[in-house]
Amino acid sequence: MKSNQLKLLSNICFFFGFASILGSIAIWFLTGGTEEVGKAHAERFGIFVGLWAPTFFILSNRFDRFSERQGD
């Protein structure tokens, strides 16, 4: 891949990392409902989506490093 494509992919992954955090909070608060089962499911699903954030940030870092190597 070209350096500018890797940089774009790095930026996209970085954005998705923050979107995952915000999505996790939104899922937790908005999909809970009033029943205990619904609240528990919303909490677990919110945590699941929130766990994607570190992966996206790591991918962003790696793609950025690869783009710098391609530029050399």
Side-chain angles (χ1 to χ4, degrees):
M1 291 182 94
K2 295 181 183 178
S3 176
N4 59 349
Q5 291 173 327
L6 288 169
K7 192 68 172 169
L8 176 65
L9 197 52
S10 171
N11 290 337
I12 290 170
C13 286
F14 192 71
F15 169 76
F16 280 155
F18 283 110
S20 173
I21 293 169
L22 295 175
S24 173
I25 294 168
I27 288 169
W28 189 16
F29 283 115
L30 299 177
T31 63
T34 57
E35 299 175 6
E36 287 297 318
V37 175
K39 288 180 182 178
H41 175 70
E43 184 177 346
R44 287 190 300 268
F45 190 54
I47 290 171
F48 173 70
V49 172
L51 288 174
W52 299 346
T55 303
F56 284 125
F57 289 137
I58 290 168
L59 285 172
S60 173
N61 185 7
R62 291 298 173 180
F63 287 133
D64 189 47
R65 285 185 183 183
F66 289 146
S67 73
E68 289 175 359
R69 276 195 225 154
Q70 291 288 334
D72 291 343

